[in-house]
Amino acid sequence: MKPLKELPILRLPFRAMEEVSKGMHSIIKMISDRRKKKFPILCLPFLAIEEIFKTMDPIEIINLSMTSKRAKAFTKNMTFYSKYSVQLCVDKTMGIAINGTDNLVSCLYLMTSYKQKLEKTAEDERDGFILRKVFKYSKDPVDEWKQLCKYVMEIFNRQAIDVLTVFIDVFVDQYFAIIDFLKTNVKSVNDCNVYQWEDENDVDEQAAYLLENITVTNELNFHLRIKNDNFDGKIPKNLRELFIKHAEWIEYEKLLETDSVQVIIGTHRISNNEWNLFFKKWIAMETHLNLELLAFDFKLIEEFKELVLYDIPHEVVDEGVKRTLITYREEKTEINGGIDIRRIDGKTATFIAHSNSFSMSVH
């Protein structure tokens, strides 16, 4: 962390400089004492302190908060932390990432049991962005991670986090305790990414426990290979995006349970007749009223027309017609042609063929 005496006071906003000037008589007195080597930042007016805090990266703020109870109290009272992004990672190396207000500096704490990483720091800079890493060695990295998680949540006044990434087959003996910890200390997760290191590992029970106990509010990316076709995982409601890469456990009734704005599923168990029923329900406004994009595995467009749309009114759009539609997640692409179906309220869904899949884009 930069010495406090070197903080760029003269580059503060004018309002902050006014606050500094109010306490200038005491500052001059302190500067005149040449024996003093530290700048008493906490003696400044609060607005000036807050502006100084804004020039510090999250690691500097955390380090300062640990210097005294008074410093911790001041740190917790800052009002700009809502612009920070907090991300947690459960992996072989446990991680906590904090992105500052300008997204130019990201700070990453990594808890590890590898002694070669003992209290090591590293900094990477690329294209004007800086990533500062702090490796913290611990014989029990999970417990160390939990303690720092609680401290970060407290210091930055957070009840929810922006991103949770979980590799579900690491720390197997402590996995359920980790999920219980998150359930107790994190009110909700904006985006959740779930992976496994080894495809052959049976993670069905761990996956069900995560889905039952972690509240996801915006996006779920589910990359697990579920072994049981009758797996009854609880899919979060009201998501912006649901992505299930290996969707062999997704059948018709489970599809109807989803209500995400965007649904992307890989290999699934939904039959052609069930897709036919689903699209009829969508046309009749009986399901998925907020749907913007549905992407799913299907091979040939001619087979799709014959096997799925055989009794559903549809229009094959001429290839010369160009339209810009959502084709994958938030991506918009200019497409030629497509197959249109229309909902009773006038909304149109266009089916677009890709190499191994289809997307249904609602507009």
Side-chain angles (χ1 to χ4, degrees):
M1 186 173 82
K2 296 178 182 178
L4 294 179
K5 65 181 180 180
E6 295 181 8
L7 287 170
I9 305 297
L10 298 180
R11 287 185 290 178
L12 295 175
F14 180 73
R15 185 181 178 192
M17 287 296 300
E18 284 187 320
E19 293 295 326
V20 172
S21 68
K22 293 178 182 177
M24 191 58 71
H25 66 283
S26 60
I27 297 173
I28 292 173
K29 181 180 178 181
M30 288 182 281
I31 293 175
S32 66
D33 185 351
R34 295 183 179 180
R35 292 175 298 174
K36 292 186 179 291
K37 296 182 180 180
K38 297 180 179 179
F39 187 88
I41 184 175
L42 300 183
C43 294
L44 294 173
F46 178 78
L47 288 178
I49 295 173
E50 187 169 58
E51 293 300 327
I52 292 172
F53 267 63
K54 290 178 181 178
T55 70
M56 301 163 69
D57 69 47
I59 290 177
E60 292 172 332
I61 291 173
I62 290 172
N63 289 343
L64 178 61
S65 74
M66 292 179 173
T67 59
S68 69
K69 291 183 178 179
R70 186 162 178 253
K72 181 178 179 180
F74 266 94
T75 303
K76 291 171 63 176
N77 285 331
M78 297 297 120
T79 61
F80 60 89
Y81 294 148
S82 60
K83 298 179 180 179
Y84 276 27
S85 168
V86 176
Q87 306 178 19
L88 304 180
C89 181
V90 177
D91 196 357
K92 295 174 182 178
T93 299
M94 305 289 283
I96 303 172
I98 310 161
N99 298 329
T101 53
D102 55 9
N103 287 320
L104 295 179
V105 179
S106 298
C107 299
L108 178 61
Y109 285 94
L110 296 164
M111 283 65 184
T112 178
S113 58
Y114 299 109
K115 289 189 176 180
Q116 62 266 34
K117 297 291 188 181
L118 180 63
E119 299 300 325
K120 179 182 177 181
T121 61
E123 183 170 304
D124 297 324
E125 184 172 358
R126 184 178 300 175
D127 299 327
F129 295 91
I130 298 173
L131 174 61
R132 292 183 178 139
K133 299 178 183 178
V134 177
F135 293 90
K136 298 180 71 66
Y137 168 77
S138 175
K139 293 182 179 179
D140 187 352
V142 172
D143 184 66
E144 184 86 16
W145 177 82
K146 288 179 182 178
Q147 297 307 315
L148 187 56
C149 279
K150 290 173 69 174
Y151 193 81
V152 166
M153 298 288 284
E154 178 186 5
I155 288 297
F156 294 113
N157 302 315
R158 300 298 295 267
Q159 291 183 313
I161 61 171
D162 297 275
V163 180
L164 172 65
T165 300
V166 179
F167 284 83
I168 212 164
D169 52 352
V170 300
F171 296 107
V172 176
D173 295 338
Q174 297 170 280
Y175 173 79
F176 293 103
I178 292 172
I179 299 301
D180 289 341
F181 167 82
L182 292 170
K183 180 181 180 181
T184 301
N185 293 279
V186 177
K187 184 178 180 181
S188 64
V189 173
N190 194 54
D191 298 346
C192 184
N193 309 303
V194 190
Y195 301 92
Q196 65 188 104
W197 277 104
E198 304 295 337
D199 286 347
E200 63 268 21
N201 289 341
D202 187 339
V203 295
D204 291 15
E205 183 180 2
Q206 292 92 329
Y209 198 75
L210 182 147
L211 293 173
E212 180 67 34
N213 291 282
I214 301 298
T215 301
V216 183
T217 59
N218 181 64
E219 181 178 315
L220 174 64
N221 295 295
F222 197 83
H223 295 258
L224 304 181
R225 286 193 177 274
I226 297 299
K227 301 297 187 288
N228 183 358
D229 287 345
N230 297 316
F231 175 74
D232 190 25
K234 178 184 177 183
I235 296 177
K237 294 291 187 180
N238 303 313
L239 295 180
R240 172 67 189 171
E241 182 178 312
L242 173 66
F243 175 88
I244 303 177
K245 184 175 182 179
H246 308 290
E248 290 86 353
W249 57 281
I250 298 294
E251 36 75 39
Y252 179 64
E253 294 299 328
K254 184 65 70 175
L255 176 65
L256 292 180
E257 289 178 15
T258 67
D259 62 356
S260 305
V261 175
Q262 298 189 4
V263 179
I264 304 169
I265 57 174
T267 305
H268 51 76
R269 292 169 53 206
I270 303 168
S271 69
N272 293 329
N273 285 337
E274 288 170 337
W275 278 123
N276 177 274
L277 291 174
F278 176 82
F279 296 130
K280 286 178 178 177
K281 282 181 173 290
W282 180 83
I283 289 171
M285 298 184 67
E286 296 175 3
T287 191
H288 288 71
L289 300 185
N290 297 320
L291 187 68
E292 291 182 0
L293 176 71
L294 172 63
F296 55 98
D297 275 5
F298 210 94
K299 300 300 180 185
L300 302 173
I301 194 163
E302 292 301 323
E303 287 187 3
F304 183 73
K305 288 191 295 182
E306 293 176 9
L307 302 176
V308 176
L309 299 181
Y310 58 89
D311 63 347
I312 296 176
H314 61 275
E315 176 187 358
V316 178
V317 180
D318 187 270
E319 287 292 320
V321 177
K322 298 179 182 293
R323 292 176 291 182
T324 300
L325 304 174
I326 298 175
T327 55
Y328 185 75
R329 298 197 164 184
E330 300 298 334
E331 297 177 8
K332 288 189 174 182
T333 307
E334 185 178 76
I335 62 105
N336 296 64
I339 300 175
D340 287 357
I341 61 173
R342 287 182 176 79
R343 202 164 65 180
I344 58 174
D345 65 345
K347 285 273 188 180
T348 297
T350 298
F351 295 102
I352 307 157
H354 307 285
S355 56
N356 290 319
S357 64
F358 271 43
S359 62
M360 168 185 170
S361 181
V362 180
H363 52 101

